[in-house]
Amino acid sequence: MARGRKEKEEMVENTRIDLQKVSIYYGNLHVIKNVSFAVPDRQITAIIGPSGSGKSTLLRSLNRMNDHIPGARVEGKAMLGELNIYDSGVDVVSLRRRVGMVFQRPNPFPKSIYDNVAYGPRLQGRIGKPQLDELVERSLRQAALWDEVKDRLHASGFDLSGGQQQRLCIARSLAVGPEVLLMDEPASALDPAATAKIEELMLQLKEDLTVVVVTHNMQQAARVSDRTAFLLGGELVEFDDTKTLFTAPADKRTDDYISGRIG
Amino acid sequence: MLRYNFQNELTELHTRLLFMGGRIEEMLNLSLHALRTGDLAASDEVLRIEDEIDKLAEEVDARSVELIAKQQPVGQDLRRLIGSMRMAIDMERVADINVNIVEQANLLPRPLIKPLVDIPRMIDVSASMFQDALDALINSNCELAYLVLQRDDVVDKLCEDIIVELREIMIKDSNKVSGALPLFVAAIQIERIADHATNIAESVIYICNGKRVKA
């Protein structure tokens, strides 16, 4: 889609993550092929595509979660502000503080609700009890969970419902103050009411940080995201405003996918 | 290719729109016949078809709403449904206008004060606009839909000419007012039919490429 120069400049100014010709390989397998797009700051960017299109691989590359996979290799540039995520000197732990991640299935630690949220800040260094209490409360409030758990902060994280556990995991990510939150199908294991809460939460979170979400749920992408990237076979077919992509996509393959004709 | 049922439902919806389009063409011919001859049977048939079109338009609307709710369409499928609903509204309005025309036909004293020349031309051009807009829909032919838009000006010009001519007749001879006024009103009604055909072509363009054009 053609855009005016002014809008283009604004997009560049507000970019949080800039992917420049990113290719990802697992051994000889070329999983992500020369993908470029800019993730705007404090907006929600959805990555959609059929199974095996490379969505999760691309998402996980943004905080180097693929480093653990033997034979995984990344080419091109993935810029987080001024930082090239794949520069050899990058401290991966510090990168993951800046770029948090929430997974498909809620994975609270076998600890209390409080300790789940306090885990990251404690790892980061000495922090006084009053400050930690305040941080835990703030993170739980930010994850829209505080009112539901404030009277049982020392109960196990496992005592919560699936949707609450997922929001606990979001609170845990928020506690270390990330600027980007990656979400890999964050609501696919949840019922419609819990899904709606996560979506509401995502919309609140974008006030403070940038969200990149992978989803199989087209309606979810259409409801919550500002921009959408459509991947097919590891290639970026289309990247546009969500409202344009879901009402008048430029590429027939996008139209076929979002309307359920392929995939 | 997935979602066969949904695709069949969309095809069925279009078939219904095309059927409505066919009935409207019949109405236009009947309205012209009524204007020319005062044939009351033609007027009655127009009223009957108008009832039929109302029901079909209601069905298209209800079916589209149901498909939006159940299938949650996006992209071209969404545009097809929204476009179909808009087209059904335009067709329903055209059917109403045909009723207005035959009402004027019934008011016309016979013999007519002048032979009908431009009014049949207006109806011809409007009918061809309808036909082409629907052909554009069937064949996803965006270019054809754009050509329809241009013909609205032809109908507007014919309408202007008729109005000038009838006004002069009425000024020159007040005895001819009762014979001129129904033709005057009918011409304005036909001009509105062309406007609705234009809207239908605009809906087809929206379905084709997502562009909102306004002629």
Side-chain angles (χ1 to χ4, degrees):
Chain A
M1 291 279 119
R3 296 188 188 289
R5 177 187 286 181
K6 190 161 177 270
E7 196 181 340
K8 263 185 188 162
E9 282 170 0
E10 280 171 5
M11 276 175 70
V12 172
E13 273 172 24
N14 295 329
T15 294
R16 174 57 49 183
I17 293 178
D18 193 14
L19 300 179
Q20 300 168 15
K21 297 184 175 174
V22 170
S23 279
I24 304 176
Y25 300 82
Y26 291 143
N28 291 327
L29 203 61
H30 196 173
V31 185
I32 293 292
K33 297 165 185 165
N34 215 21
V35 165
S36 301
F37 65 88
V39 174
D41 190 28
R42 292 173 200 230
Q43 288 195 19
I44 300 175
T45 297
I47 303 175
I48 60 169
S51 298
S53 59
K55 306 180 295 292
S56 292
T57 296
L58 184 62
L59 188 80
R60 293 162 67 93
S61 75
L62 302 181
N63 71 349
R64 293 186 52 170
M65 293 289 283
N66 296 327
D67 285 10
H68 303 294
I69 299 171
R73 180 163 56 87
V74 176
E75 288 176 1
K77 271 188 179 176
M79 303 297 294
L80 171 66
E82 297 300 310
L83 175 77
N84 184 353
I85 292 172
Y86 283 90
D87 262 355
S88 52
V90 168
D91 172 8
V92 177
V93 174
S94 133
L95 170 71
R96 289 184 192 148
R97 269 204 295 274
R98 292 178 65 186
V99 185
M101 186 146 192
V102 175
F103 299 88
Q104 184 173 359
R105 297 207 164 265
N107 55 349
F109 300 141
K111 291 172 178 290
S112 70
I113 293 166
Y114 184 99
D115 286 341
N116 261 279
V117 182
Y119 188 85
R122 277 177 179 145
L123 271 187
Q124 279 179 23
R126 294 178 66 85
I127 179 165
K129 178 80 167 72
Q131 289 89 342
L132 192 58
D133 287 350
E134 193 188 308
L135 184 56
V136 168
E137 177 175 341
R138 191 169 67 230
S139 304
L140 285 167
R141 280 188 189 281
Q142 219 183 342
L145 188 60
W146 174 253
D147 289 340
E148 293 163 56
V149 300
K150 62 185 175 193
D151 299 324
R152 48 175 173 150
L153 289 175
H154 297 287
S156 165
F158 293 139
D159 290 347
L160 301 174
S161 71
Q164 288 172 327
Q165 286 187 19
Q166 191 63 303
R167 280 179 281 144
L168 176 62
C169 294
I170 291 170
R172 190 176 64 195
S173 298
L174 296 175
V176 294
E179 54 202 271
V180 179
L181 191 60
L182 309 177
M183 304 179 103
D184 194 354
E185 301 208 41
S188 65
L190 306 180
D191 67 26
T195 299
K197 276 193 180 158
I198 296 287
E199 289 180 6
E200 285 293 313
L201 174 57
M202 289 165 79
L203 293 169
Q204 285 165 26
L205 289 176
K206 77 170 182 174
E207 301 284 316
D208 301 311
L209 46 91
T210 302
V211 176
V212 186
V213 58
V214 159
T215 178
H216 266 126
N217 181 334
M218 292 301 103
Q219 270 63 43
Q220 182 170 72
R223 278 193 298 265
V224 301
S225 71
D226 301 289
R227 302 281 164 99
T228 300
F230 170 50
L231 288 184
L232 186 66
E235 287 176 21
L236 181 70
V237 173
E238 194 163 346
F239 177 68
D240 210 329
D241 283 341
T242 297
K243 66 179 177 203
T244 304
L245 196 131
F246 278 92
T247 56
D251 195 292
K252 187 174 182 309
R253 289 169 296 173
T254 312
D255 201 73
D256 285 346
Y257 177 69
I258 59 172
S259 51
R261 290 193 189 85
I262 58 168
Chain B
M1 174 72 82
L2 301 172
R3 302 182 83 179
Y4 296 106
N5 287 336
F6 181 40
Q7 294 310 313
N8 289 342
E9 297 265 20
L10 285 175
T11 307
E12 171 60 28
L13 208 57
H14 277 195
T15 307
R16 201 150 294 196
L17 285 171
L18 297 178
F19 180 71
M20 286 171 76
R23 295 299 271 157
I24 281 171
E25 279 179 53
E26 280 177 51
M27 278 180 119
L28 286 168
N29 288 330
L30 288 164
S31 297
L32 178 58
H33 179 65
L35 282 172
R36 275 188 170 135
T37 63
D39 181 355
L40 290 175
S43 299
D44 288 347
E45 182 63 5
V46 165
L47 294 177
R48 212 183 56 70
I49 298 177
E50 194 260 341
D51 262 355
E52 196 185 321
I53 298 272
D54 275 357
K55 289 192 183 82
L56 285 163
E58 225 176 278
E59 273 177 42
V60 167
D61 186 78
R63 200 78 197 101
S64 301
V65 169
E66 189 184 330
L67 287 173
I68 288 171
K70 285 185 177 170
Q71 301 285 348
Q72 305 185 340
V74 288
Q76 196 178 41
D77 292 341
L78 176 64
R79 301 201 305 271
R80 269 174 190 279
L81 285 171
I82 300 290
S84 298
M85 291 168 86
R86 288 180 188 161
M87 279 190 262
I89 291 169
D90 279 306
M91 289 194 199
E92 193 263 325
R93 290 297 303 131
V94 171
D96 290 346
I97 290 171
N98 271 283
V99 171
N100 297 343
I101 294 171
V102 293
E103 280 170 4
Q104 298 305 313
N106 296 344
L107 292 174
L108 271 174
R110 311 285 163 174
L112 297 175
I113 55 163
K114 64 179 277 304
L116 298 185
V117 180
D118 282 343
I119 283 184
R121 284 175 64 195
M122 280 179 83
I123 289 183
D124 272 356
V125 178
S126 304
S128 76
M129 288 169 73
F130 247 94
Q131 183 65 56
D132 285 352
L134 294 173
D135 279 353
L137 176 70
I138 305 168
N139 302 314
S140 301
N141 185 344
C142 224
E143 286 74 25
L144 185 59
Y146 276 108
L147 290 175
V148 171
L149 305 185
Q150 297 169 6
R151 263 178 284 164
D152 190 33
D153 292 343
V154 176
V155 178
D156 286 351
K157 178 71 177 65
L158 284 168
C159 186
E160 259 176 54
D161 293 348
I162 293 167
I163 285 170
V164 169
E165 187 190 3
L166 290 172
R167 197 164 50 199
E168 277 171 13
I169 290 173
M170 288 189 279
I171 289 168
K172 275 186 194 153
D173 185 352
S174 60
N175 290 326
K176 287 186 175 168
V177 168
S178 62
L181 208 51
L183 293 175
F184 190 101
V185 175
I188 291 169
Q189 298 290 324
I190 298 165
E191 190 269 328
R192 289 178 56 209
I193 290 179
D195 289 343
H196 286 287
T198 304
N199 290 349
I200 289 174
E202 287 165 359
S203 294
V204 173
I205 292 167
Y206 176 69
I207 291 172
C208 279
N209 61 17
K211 292 203 172 99
R212 289 179 176 84
V213 288
K214 213 66 207 158

